[in-house]
Amino acid sequence: MISADASRKTGSRPKIAIVGSTMVDLITYISRMPQEGETIEAPRFEMGFGGKGANQAVAAAMMGAEVSFIARIGDDLFGPATRQNLESYGIDTSHVDIAPGVSSGVAPIFVDPASLNSILIIKGANACLLPSDIDRAADAIHASDLVIMQLEIGLDTVYYTIDLCREAGIPVILNPAPVNPYLNLEKIDSVFLIAPNETELKTLTGMPTESLHEVKAAAKSLTAMGFLRVLVTLGDKGSFLVSGEGEVLVPAPKVKSADTTGAGDAFIGCFAVLYLETQDFLKAMEGANRYAALSTMRNGTQKSFPDRKSFEAAIF
Ligand code: RIB
């Protein structure tokens, strides 16, 4: 197992490459889920740009990083709009290519009155991002201080990118979402940091994660397997880091949430930027907790993410 130091190469802005997904989010705000065979009315619907990779790219860009995104987009109406949306945040899309004849990824999302969400994903073009695409984007990856990945693309591409980064000494943050039961942990244990939520941690380890005590035991089982750092996102409870140096819980600020969709992605994108800027896990966790909390106060996914100025001006 090899890890890399996550410090900045040159320049004043952190350089981050994100290898991952884009989706079109179809968000329905519901009063409750219908039963089988039942039709009920929902009060509101919104469409927006999402996908865990794109969300993390937008959060990192909003926080001031130079972001290069590596992805496949759909050969339909949503494809060019997705590229345009990424570019509107200043994200480099030189390695965002259309998957010929394949639909865009879409995500029907249901947000309940408690602002919690349930998400279905149809991968579409995201499944067409192959190791050969990663080879074509190798320059952008090599020029980065850090690479961020999630699991809305094929596992072979995830393993290939992690290997490439390990050989090049580039740190990787892996957000194992949505969790994939076929994920081979031995092929990903060289990452700088793995960042699951409690549900993902439970699937990865087969251990309960209801209480903080259980989360700690499950996260420690990953470090015992060779992972250097496990950062568990705990929603409104904050985030919890376990590493060789010990463990720490950083509580999240209390806010009135409207929609939690994409909050985990907001956390990851912001955490990466703040860590590259400060080299301080606690500062990065504290800031990312605040950034994610702020994102839940507005509806939608990417459009709920604050820019750096509003993030810094926010008072809780
Ligand atoms: O993490 C939230 C995201 O998950 C949504 O934007 C949706 O597209 C799915 O990828």
Side-chain angles (χ1 to χ4, degrees), residues 56-75:
Q56 293 170 18
V58 168
M62 297 280 268
M63 281 298 291
E66 267 179 62
V67 178
S68 177
F69 193 53
I70 297 146
R72 282 278 178 170
I73 50 174
D75 194 0

Side-chain angles (χ1 to χ4, degrees), residues 21 23 25 49-52 55 107 109 119 121 152 261-262 265 301:
S21 58
M23 302 273 172
D25 287 354
F49 293 101
K52 295 181 194 301
N55 296 345
I109 299 178
I119 304 179
I121 58 158
E152 286 180 332
T261 311
D265 302 325
T301 314

Side-chain angles (χ1 to χ4, degrees), residues 4 8 11-12 15 35 47 49 54 58 75 97 102 110 112 142 153 189-190 197 205 225 230 233 237 248 286 294 314:
R8 268 187 282 170
S12 55
K15 279 198 168 79
Q35 310 279 319
M47 197 159 94
F49 293 101
V58 168
D75 194 0
D97 295 313
V102 184
F110 304 93
D112 71 15
H142 286 134
I153 57 172
D189 67 2
S190 66
N197 65 18
T205 61
M225 283 167 67
V230 185
T233 52
K237 291 189 273 320
V248 61
E286 193 268 336
L294 279 172

Side-chain angles (χ1 to χ4, degrees), residues 142-174:
H142 286 134
S144 302
D145 301 316
L146 184 108
V147 168
I148 305 179
M149 303 188 75
Q150 327 71 32
L151 300 182
E152 286 180 332
I153 57 172
L155 285 181
D156 284 345
T157 307
V158 172
Y159 300 148
Y160 188 84
T161 310
I162 288 175
D163 283 350
L164 184 145
C165 290
R166 188 190 57 226
E167 279 159 24
I170 299 163
V172 173
I173 292 181
L174 177 66

